[in-house]
Amino acid sequence: MASHIVGYPRMGPKRELKFALESFWDGKSSAEDLEKVAAGLRASIWKQMSDVGIKYIPSNTFSYYDQVLDTTAMLGAVPPRYNWTGGEIGFSTFFSMARGNDSVPAMEMTKWFDTNYHFIVPELGPDVNFSYASHKAVNEYKEAKAQGVDTVPVLVGPVSYLLLSKPAKGVDKTFPLLSLLDKILPIYKEVIAELKAAGASWIQFDEPTLVKDLESHQLEAFTKAYADLQSALSGVEVLVETYFADIPGAAFKTLTSLSGVSGFGFDLVRGTQTLDLIKGGFPSGKYLFAGVVDGRNIWANDLDASLSTLQSLESIVGKDKLVVSTSCSLLHTAVDLVNETKLDQEIKSWLAFAAQKVVEVNALAKALTGQKDEAYFSANATAQASRKSSPRVNNEAVQKAAAALKGSDHRRATDVTSRLNAQQKKLNLPILPTTTIGSFPQTVELRRVRREYKAKKISEEDYDKAIKEEINKVVKLQEELDIDVLVHGEPERNDMVEYFGEQLSGFAFTANGWVQSYGSRCVKPPIIYGDVSRPNPMTVYWSSAAQSMTKRPMKGMLTGPVTILNWSFVRNDQPRSETCYQIALAIKDEVEDLEKAGITVIQIDEAALREGLPLRKSEHAFYLDWAVHSFRITNVGVQDTTQIHTHMCYSNFNDIIQSIINMDADVITIENSRSDEKLLSVFREGVKYGAGIGPGVYDIHSPRIPSTDEIADRINKMLAVLETNILWVNPDCGLKTRKYGEVKPALENMVSACKILRTKLGSA
């Protein structure tokens, strides 16, 4: 019985790639230094899987930014603004597309399906001259082979690549991207030919868009593409991999009928109904790559249950055609539980990170061949039973409070227009009020202070003094810049979700459970293992201290319940909605304590609300109902004069705009600039928005500093579709990843642009 891994984390157990990338970007190390670190990580990953006994080991899943951008480079689909003149794409062009440079902005970045991972969106049109411009897939295959590991090269499938793209600037928005299929398939054929020549016996094409709601012409594109590739693929086995959800019946039929394809991969963790499709008719003689080990969460697999599922599939497809696999790439999990030396031992026994999931896959494969490791399975069963019966998991009072929420929609008593009027009387803000999203740069010194305090190397008094000094510096800077509504900069927080989770019951934390979000950006998701409550106030002390330093309004900064949920590893023993309601009640307590402390503007970030939207439209309404309801619960009890803000970023919001309105926040700040003001199109189409809104005026994920004129131009575009009295001016997102040398001039230009437009509006 064979075993397979869809993909593996690339940052390294101690974030080695992150630090190598940032050193290279800062000019402190060479391209050769970066490549050396990357080669070491790849070698370690391949050896680990080989030593465990995995048969189908992936290559080309390692990326310096993301796999879609790698494909853009492979196809030579570089937008003209980067002045690429042909040849093999190097780091300069590659990272300019990802991050922008001094003269041009980056390409759009958005969420990878319903995960917290991001990808760079390809910009395509009829005039793109595709060419084979990155040999990364072939080079990595050869690199692994030279180390004695025969891998399965992984390519983003041609149809999914096009479906994940967007029309380039200046191209009609209705341009049919699938019409480019005939132009990109010749490059895929070149790659395939080189992989075959190098000795590849299998090639994996990731086609995750097959799990979405596709129209008939989109499904026909898959049939056309693989029929066209069939002769090129002759002599090599082909796997088409899907993941993240159930595959619809029509897509299943299309997929399993593709020409020249040897095997099909399915997510059987999030796609449980796919089992029925397989049992209803799986093509004879084809391989089934059964994704029974969860690639999206960190809970140990229920090996007995998975073995039972696999045995039922074995009777359908045959023993020699069943391959045990992960549900998706392990990119979305932490790297290795071995690095967690301080994690509670009971909770640790319930977990499996990427390295442990590789072992689980192989153990299941061996068990199917009669080589069951009884001790390993027995220890797993004991851990599963321990988790179900542990008193740490269940809190009856919390469960009752969450159950009592049903029956009310938790709306504030007054409509948003009346509330905004009451708030304006209290806050007395100018038109086009300016603010930032929350965080300010996290300096080396600031990180040192937090690290030493956590390690008990400095006293609480010294820590308190250092954090207050940092807050005061941020407050004074904002006052100098003449920003209207201030933030305290969040110097006490390493991560917006981790900070709250550390203070809520039912959460556990790792030391090295890092997961890549985009580029070099890593997050350390908390683990929600039990019922959630708030034992003590979490932010009141720092927000009150910050407000005492200024006469301007100071925002209280909270992370919303849906974002805490979606950016955590969530317990899988109850519905996600139940856990979200529990978090909402905890945040509600914090909101009301902030109001009592005199904080008149409170931001409850829901950056990940859109991210959690199910991939199938039939499931949207249910998710949006409980997600939006959870947000409203947090602030239902505040006075009309308390202004509630929320923030969202890096997703396509246009299709959920009515749900955003239904959140009933007083002000929403929302990413806009990096996506070419795509958000504004929804207002051009006639959607009326009565609350305050701040579409971002510049991209904070790029080091590039926008000019005053550029920002003014963006604001004018907003004023063309939004009322002056509801428009706010702010960056796209928080500033923690930037340096002060970038932040200060960018904010100066933002405020200057705003003042110029205020003068013009006043004279008009």
Side-chain angles (χ1 to χ4, degrees), residues 218-238:
Q218 294 170 320
L219 291 174
E220 288 164 9
F222 288 94
T223 303
K224 179 183 186 301
Y226 287 89
D228 195 324
L229 292 174
Q230 185 174 5
S231 59
L233 290 166
S234 176
V236 67
E237 304 280 13
V238 177

Side-chain angles (χ1 to χ4, degrees), residues 261 345 511 522 559:
V261 176
Q345 285 303 309
C522 297
T559 303

Side-chain angles (χ1 to χ4, degrees), residues 64-379:
Y64 290 106
Y65 217 86
D66 77 74
Q67 66 273 29
V68 180
L69 185 60
D70 288 344
T71 309
T72 295
M74 182 185 86
L75 296 171
V78 181
R81 65 181 179 275
Y82 300 108
N83 297 319
W84 175 63
T85 55
E88 189 80 3
I89 289 175
F91 282 153
S92 176
T93 299
F94 185 82
F95 289 129
S96 289
M97 289 192 287
R99 307 177 72 239
N101 57 43
D102 289 341
S103 57
V104 291
M107 295 166 69
E108 180 185 352
M109 181 170 70
T110 196
K111 295 291 174 73
W112 178 244
F113 292 81
D114 59 347
T115 75
N116 188 30
Y117 183 64
H118 301 67
F119 72 98
I120 302 298
V121 181
E123 302 173 10
L124 305 178
D127 298 328
V128 176
N129 294 313
F130 296 100
S131 63
Y132 187 12
S134 171
H135 292 67
K136 176 180 174 294
V138 178
N139 292 340
E140 281 194 20
Y141 174 78
K142 290 178 177 178
E143 182 184 328
K145 194 170 185 182
Q147 295 166 25
V149 183
D150 188 20
T151 60
V152 178
V154 179
L155 303 173
V156 174
V159 183
S160 287
Y161 177 78
L162 293 176
L163 291 176
L164 292 167
S165 302
K166 70 172 187 178
K169 200 165 188 178
V171 174
D172 192 291
K173 298 304 179 188
T174 62
F175 173 73
L177 292 161
L178 288 175
S179 67
L180 298 173
L181 197 56
D182 289 337
K183 292 187 177 182
I184 68 171
L185 289 178
I187 289 97
Y188 274 89
K189 290 176 184 177
E190 288 187 68
V191 179
I192 291 164
E194 288 193 5
L195 287 171
K196 286 167 66 175
S201 56
W202 277 85
I203 300 175
Q204 175 179 321
F205 292 89
D206 281 5
E207 295 281 13
T209 55
L210 277 164
V211 304
K212 301 183 82 174
D213 296 307
L214 299 180
E215 297 174 14
S216 58
H217 77 279
Q218 294 170 320
L219 291 174
E220 288 164 9
F222 288 94
T223 303
K224 179 183 186 301
Y226 287 89
D228 195 324
L229 292 174
Q230 185 174 5
S231 59
L233 290 166
S234 176
V236 67
E237 304 280 13
V238 177
L239 164 63
V240 176
E241 183 69 48
T242 69
Y243 36 78
F244 296 152
D246 276 306
I247 185 167
F252 179 83
K253 185 177 179 181
T254 297
L255 172 61
T256 53
S257 303
L258 292 179
S259 305
V261 176
S262 316
F264 312 100
F266 300 103
D267 182 337
L268 300 181
V269 176
R270 290 191 169 223
T272 52
Q273 293 173 31
T274 300
L275 279 169
D276 295 331
L277 293 173
I278 294 168
K279 291 172 183 177
F282 191 79
S284 176
K286 301 292 186 180
Y287 289 87
L288 170 60
F289 286 70
V292 294
V293 172
D294 193 351
R296 295 266 308 256
N297 216 329
I298 42 66
W299 303 108
N301 189 271
D302 185 336
L303 295 177
D304 288 332
S306 292
L307 185 58
S308 176
T309 297
L310 290 165
Q311 287 167 339
S312 70
L313 292 171
E314 190 178 52
S315 66
I316 298 168
V317 303
K319 187 181 287 286
D320 62 330
K321 296 297 182 184
L322 182 61
V323 180
V324 183
S325 183
T326 53
S327 65
C328 62
S329 172
L330 297 175
L331 171 71
H332 309 288
T333 65
V335 179
D336 195 342
L337 201 52
V338 169
N339 298 316
E340 301 306 325
T341 55
K342 296 181 180 178
L343 194 61
D344 177 287
Q345 285 303 309
E346 182 183 33
I347 293 175
K348 193 172 180 179
S349 73
W350 302 341
L351 308 178
F353 290 0
Q356 288 70 46
K357 289 176 185 292
V358 170
V359 174
E360 289 179 339
V361 167
N362 200 59
L364 286 165
K366 290 177 72 175
L368 281 169
T369 62
Q371 302 174 65
K372 184 178 180 182
D373 185 334
E374 295 293 350
Y376 182 72
F377 271 70
S378 176

